Amino acid sequence: YPESREVATEDQRRVRQEALAPLEARKTDLVREKTEIEKAILARAENRVPPYAETWTRPPVNRSGTEEQFGPVDVKFLRLVVSGRDSDPTARTGFKIDEFEVWTAGSEANNVALAVNGGSAQGKSPVAQDFGQAYLADLTIDGKFGQSWIAQEPTLTISFAKRERVGRVLFSSDRTGALAPGSGEAPFPCEYRIEVSDDGETWTVVADSADRAPANDAHRRKRFLELQTSPEERTRLEEIRALEAAVNAEIAAVPRLPVLRVGRLSQPEDVAHVFKGGDPQRLGDEVAPESIGALSKIGPAYRLEPSAPERERRLELAKWIIAKDNPLPARVLANRIWNYHFGAGLVSTPSDFGFMGIAPTHPELLDWLAHELIAPQFGIGHEGAGANPAWRLKRLHKMIMLSQTYRQAGAYRQDAADVDVESSFLWRFPPRRLTAEEIRDSLLQISGGLDTRMGGPGFRLYRYIRDNVASYIPLDEYGPETYRRSVYHQNARAARIDLMTDFDAPDCALVAPRRSSTTTPLQALTLMNHDFTLDMARALASRIEADAGDDRVRAQAERAFELAYLRRPGQEESAAAIELIKTHGLPALCRALFNSNEFIYVD
């Protein structure tokens, strides 16, 4: 499989190492000094009498439910401020909350954090879509458990509907206990404080985790360092951290060695065998690396020893594919190129040239095209004709497109249709419906909305959601950020895009040797009623009004035909278009043009 591998020369490695060596030495010295200071602090803390542990009178936090009680206070706001979580004592974000309760004081306690009781929570969290980038949501306190809110900020603030007298807080990340202890699936606040406020500006601490036992050794170590560090040691540690950050920045600034994402060839470990009856437990004859036996009569055969290196195997396969006396690969490629230009290949089954495939309609032409594809660089009959073949795609494309067959009209002739109704023998240029991408780009182009910028990040016509499994939801509305050429669309396997899928855009998860061209009711409905089509119709109408004027209906109809069909309307077409504009408006005419065969077919 491809992997990132350095492809640097020895000189490049030496230069980089010379630049890194003094920086890494400085970093090592700083880390050593910081470690020695922290060891001394921890030793003092462990030997202190009375030990700090005697002040930790309450049990550690419990992610199934941690409670804090305090003297009743009348407040409008309450917040949780986190300074460390169980899995990482220095992490202030990334913890989970499945519910946060704030109870009023008195015999008839009430959870005033509940949304139904007027409570609301403010604290940002990534939503499980678009890889969590820039999508945030607040926690909803609804009294249900099972779905966690992930904190992106160290503070969760609860606002009450009115001033409340509160005295107890209960919060959790796994209230149902569904996760195994220590699984790390529900990171929980371990170091925190509870604060209250009347105005949301001035806050008072009413409870904290200082008297709870540490959740683990990492939290115990962090507390010792915070409690026992002297002012001088604290100052020096801050200086070391600043110096270390500066050194890390210098290290990051050293140019990296060039890297390529390439495959790594490895020698097959086991000898391949035929599986009798397809059963891997019943080994048949040994299989050596060799050419395909069924094709041995139409090209050069090769056979290697089972111990042949992987590099040699690949090289022999490549030589076999491009050998001058192996006509099959050139014929397959020439047929695919013909298929791209005419919508159908000379062999209509481009991935099957065998007995189950369809015979070519023009076998001599296919052979000639294949010969032209692999002709020597200087052409047939030139003194350089003995040179190695050079597969020249551009020359074959040009040759086809300049041919009389490609340039002929698509006009229908009854006498020819009586003999060859599908134009398999190309008595006219076969009508071809535009592909899904071409239809979409054409709508954008004639409406004046196509963004022709090249390069850069692509766009999506779906909303990506990842919550255990990935989901792709087609967009209901397409904004201008999606008005780029379809080649920049980030296709995803299993994603259904209304316009694209309806017009037979192939599924990215499957191999598609050629595109199908179906006719379904959804196509007409999409071009008539889809929000994207309506937006394009309105945009085209605005463009026509700007070009032809608001009060010149005939000029608007003519301009609409020019943009959609690259021609002026006939007399009957002009009259019908004018009547439609007067009755239903210019956007209605634009929608009608979008739905016409002349717009979506190349004839």
Side-chain angles (χ1 to χ4, degrees), residues 82-99:
V82 177
S83 57
R85 71 181 196 214
D86 53 0
S87 54
D88 184 352
T90 63
R92 304 177 63 215
T93 60
F95 59 88
K96 293 185 178 181
I97 296 289
D98 64 0
E99 196 72 3

Side-chain angles (χ1 to χ4, degrees), residues 58-62 64-70 101 103 167-172 188 192 194 207-208 212:
R58 291 196 294 161
V61 296
N62 185 344
S64 293
T66 294
E67 185 179 65
E68 289 290 348
Q69 297 187 21
F70 45 88
E101 303 172 6
W103 293 88
R168 183 165 68 93
V169 167
L170 179 64
F171 57 97
S172 58
F188 193 59
Y192 61 85
I194 305 294
D208 58 39
R212 288 188 178 275

Side-chain angles (χ1 to χ4, degrees), residues 414-435:
Q414 186 61 50
D415 59 332
D418 291 340
V419 178
D420 178 22
V421 66
E422 295 183 355
S423 187
S424 298
F425 295 100
L426 300 175
W427 52 269
R428 65 167 177 160
F429 189 92
R432 178 180 70 84
R433 195 192 67 197
L434 298 178
T435 63

Side-chain angles (χ1 to χ4, degrees), residues 29 43 137 143 159 197 312 404 406 475 506 547:
D29 292 340
S159 302
S197 173
E312 185 177 343
Q404 181 179 352
Y406 182 81
L475 296 180
D547 292 347

Side-chain angles (χ1 to χ4, degrees), residues 540-550 556 586:
L540 177 58
S542 298
R543 179 183 180 183
I544 293 171
E545 289 173 351
D547 292 347
D550 295 340
Q556 291 176 1
L586 183 55

Side-chain angles (χ1 to χ4, degrees), residues 253-555:
V254 175
R256 296 183 177 275
L257 296 175
V259 173
L260 288 179
R261 189 163 180 82
V262 295
R264 183 180 297 277
L265 302 183
S266 59
Q267 184 68 11
E269 297 179 359
D270 300 323
V271 176
H273 289 265
V274 173
F275 294 159
K276 293 182 178 180
D279 185 354
Q281 303 302 320
R282 301 173 57 204
L283 299 182
D285 297 336
E286 184 179 289
V287 178
E290 59 181 318
S291 56
I292 301 174
L295 303 179
S296 59
K297 294 182 179 180
I298 63 171
Y302 72 89
R303 180 183 177 90
L304 303 176
E305 294 297 324
S307 59
E310 178 69 13
R311 184 188 302 273
E312 185 177 343
R313 299 172 183 228
R314 291 172 178 263
L315 180 60
E316 288 300 319
L317 175 61
K319 288 180 178 178
W320 177 80
I321 290 175
I322 66 170
K324 290 191 292 183
D325 49 354
N326 181 5
L328 181 59
R331 294 177 79 240
V332 170
L333 182 54
N335 185 67
R336 286 184 180 271
I337 294 174
W338 188 273
N339 177 75
Y340 298 149
H341 286 295
F342 289 94
L346 298 172
V347 176
S348 60
T349 53
S351 288
D352 190 350
F353 273 54
F355 290 108
M356 301 300 292
I358 305 299
T361 56
H362 302 73
E364 296 85 357
L365 174 59
L366 180 59
D367 287 341
W368 184 82
L369 291 172
H371 187 268
E372 287 297 304
L373 176 65
I374 62 175
Q377 182 177 0
F378 298 103
I380 302 300
H382 192 275
E383 61 181 5
N388 291 329
W391 293 45
R392 304 180 64 191
L393 296 179
K394 288 185 178 180
R395 185 178 67 175
L396 189 58
H397 281 297
K398 181 178 180 181
M399 188 181 302
I400 291 174
M401 296 177 71
L402 292 179
S403 68
Q404 181 179 352
T405 303
Y406 182 81
R407 291 185 295 169
Q408 70 181 331
Y412 183 82
R413 301 201 325 265
Q414 186 61 50
D415 59 332
D418 291 340
V419 178
D420 178 22
V421 66
E422 295 183 355
S423 187
S424 298
F425 295 100
L426 300 175
W427 52 269
R428 65 167 177 160
F429 189 92
R432 178 180 70 84
R433 195 192 67 197
L434 298 178
T435 63
E437 294 87 348
E438 291 170 331
I439 293 174
R440 178 181 176 275
D441 290 357
S442 297
L443 292 174
L444 286 167
Q445 173 64 31
I446 69 170
S447 67
L450 183 64
D451 183 350
T452 58
R453 288 179 298 124
M454 298 179 64
F459 66 94
R460 296 174 182 161
L461 297 176
Y462 55 86
R463 202 167 100 246
Y464 172 79
I465 297 178
R466 183 176 58 188
D467 189 4
N468 294 324
V469 296
S471 301
Y472 306 89
I473 302 175
L475 296 180
D476 293 327
E477 298 181 359
Y478 298 158
E481 70 279 0
T482 68
Y483 288 177
R484 302 189 66 191
R485 293 171 57 211
S486 298
V487 69
Y488 291 108
H489 180 238
Q490 297 178 13
N491 285 313
R493 289 178 292 183
R496 189 190 188 284
I497 310 302
D498 293 343
L499 176 65
M500 312 285 272
T501 304
D502 291 342
F503 282 95
D504 305 309
D507 187 342
C508 297
L510 304 173
V511 175
R514 59 172 298 182
R515 293 201 179 196
S516 59
S517 181
T518 63
T519 301
T520 68
L522 281 177
Q523 296 167 354
L525 291 172
T526 298
L527 286 181
M528 182 64 72
N529 299 319
H530 196 281
D531 285 341
F532 176 72
T533 306
L534 298 178
D535 290 342
M536 293 303 99
R538 287 188 288 266
L540 177 58
S542 298
R543 179 183 180 183
I544 293 171
E545 289 173 351
D547 292 347
D550 295 340
D551 57 347
R552 299 173 56 199
V553 178
R554 181 176 297 278

